[in-house]
Amino acid sequence: MTTPKIVLITGASSGIGQATAVRLAREGHVVVLGARREDRLTALAETIRRDGGVAYARRLDVTDRDDVGAFVDAAAAEHGRVDAIVNNAGVMPLSRLDSLLVAEWDRMIDVNIRGLLHGIAAALPWFRRQGTGHFVTVASTGAHEVVPTAAVYCGTKYAAWAITEGLRREADPGIRVTTVSPGVVESELADTITEAGAKEAMRAYRAAAIPADAIAGAVSYALAQPADVDVNELVVRPTRQR
Ligand code: NDP
C-alpha cells in the first residue's frame, strides 16, 4: 500500500467519481466526496466506512466558486493538508449545434470548464504552501477528437486538457498534474442528453462501455507513483472503441 493521502473527488455521487472513491478508499486513502446529490454521497461514504475505509461527504456545486473554496478549505482544516484533488464533475448533454440548446451549452461550460477552474483556484494555494499536491483532471477522449453532436462537449474537454496542461507547465516543482481521458465508460453521463437524435446515437455508441473502475485504476496508478514521478496523460478506452 502507498502512503495514505487525503484525496478530494468532485462528482463523486455516481460513475467514475464514485468508482474512484471506492477504489482509493480500499487502497487506504482518505476520500472527501463532493457533488450536489447529498443523499448519494452520504450513502456512498457509509458504504466505504462499512468496508473499513475513511470517507467524508459534503454537498458541492462546482459551478459556485465559493462552494468549491469551502469544500477544499474544510478538508484542509480537518486533515491539516490536502494531497490530491480529482476534478471529475462533468455533464454531457450532447446535441447538434443547430438545435440551439444554448442553455445546455452554458451548463457544460459552467460545470466542465468553470468547475475545473474553481477546483484549481481552491487547491493551488494549499498545494503551493505545502510544496506538494496532485491535480487530476478527468477530461475525455473528447479532448482529442470531435464528433457530431459533441462540438460543445468536446470544446469543454479540449479546454480542460489545455488548462490542465498549462497548470502542469506553470506548477511549482513538487506539484503533480495528471489528465485522465476516458473513452466510453459505464455511468449516468448520457442521462443528461435531451436531444432525441443524440440520445439514440449514444445508445449504440455506449454499448462498448467499460466499467468506471477502469478509470479509477488509472487515477490510482497516477497517485501511487513516487513523488518524483508525474504521470501527465492517461487515455483509457474500451478495447472495442476506435
Ligand atoms: P456521471 O453522470 O455518472 O457523473 C457525473 C458526476 O458529476 C456526478 O457525480 C454529478 O453529481 C457530478 N456533477 C454534475 N454537475 C455537478 C455540479 N454542478 N457540481 C458538482 N458535481 C456535479 O458521469 P461520469 O462518471 O461518466 O462523469 C465523470 C467525468 O468523466 C465527467 O467529467 C465526464 O465528462 C468524464 N467522462 C466520462 C465518460 C463516460 O463515457 N462516462 C467518457 C469521457 C469522460 P451530482 O449530479 O450529484 O452533482
Side-chain angles (χ1 to χ4, degrees):
M1 219 261 299
T2 53
T3 314
K5 295 174 192 286
I6 312 297
V7 184
L8 278 54
I9 305 170
T10 73
S13 59
S14 63
I16 292 168
Q18 176 176 330
T20 301
V22 168
R23 181 185 269 251
L24 295 182
R26 279 196 185 137
E27 291 172 353
H29 301 297
V30 173
V31 290
V32 183
L33 318 173
R36 293 164 307 169
R37 288 171 294 177
E38 214 173 352
D39 51 335
R40 293 265 205 122
L41 291 182
T42 305
L44 176 59
E46 277 166 11
T47 305
I48 288 172
R49 282 188 220 118
R50 263 201 307 276
D51 215 27
V54 184
Y56 300 86
R58 185 189 164 110
R59 193 190 180 280
L60 170 71
D61 184 341
V62 296
T63 67
D64 180 336
R65 182 184 172 186
D66 292 342
D67 209 15
V68 184
F71 177 67
V72 174
D73 290 352
E78 170 102 23
H79 304 287
R81 66 179 204 279
V82 171
D83 296 305
I85 180 165
V86 183
N87 283 304
N88 163 75
V91 292
M92 188 189 70
L94 300 179
S95 62
R96 288 177 52 87
L97 289 169
D98 55 16
S99 295
L100 299 181
L101 298 177
V102 178
E104 294 189 353
W105 304 348
D106 287 344
R107 204 159 119 247
M108 282 187 274
I109 291 165
D110 284 344
V111 178
N112 302 358
I113 303 179
R114 290 204 173 88
L116 166 65
L117 287 167
H118 294 156
I120 293 169
L124 189 53
W126 285 106
F127 289 179
R128 293 198 72 198
R129 270 197 292 277
Q130 294 169 178
T132 60
H134 197 155
F135 288 100
V136 179
T137 295
V138 178
S140 170
T141 50
H144 303 271
E145 61 191 351
V146 184
V147 294
T149 75
V152 179
Y153 178 72
C154 292
T156 66
K157 292 301 184 175
Y158 271 71
W161 184 92
I163 290 162
T164 309
E165 175 62 5
L167 177 64
R168 184 184 77 76
R169 294 288 191 106
E170 290 181 7
D172 295 347
I175 296 179
R176 301 194 289 175
V177 184
T178 302
T179 303
V180 178
S181 289
V184 58
V185 171
E186 288 164 5
S187 77
E188 299 174 13
L189 194 66
D191 297 356
T192 53
I193 303 174
T194 61
E195 191 193 75
K199 214 178 188 53
E200 191 49 44
M202 261 298 116
R203 233 186 293 281
Y205 183 67
R206 297 191 74 78
I210 51 176
D213 184 59
I215 309 308
V219 176
S220 158
Y221 171 77
L223 290 182
Q225 299 311 302
D228 60 348
V229 176
D230 190 6
V231 176
N232 303 137
E233 294 261 3
L234 287 162
V235 182
V236 183
R237 289 186 177 87
T239 309
R240 286 198 288 158
Q241 184 181 345
R242 287 292 167 254

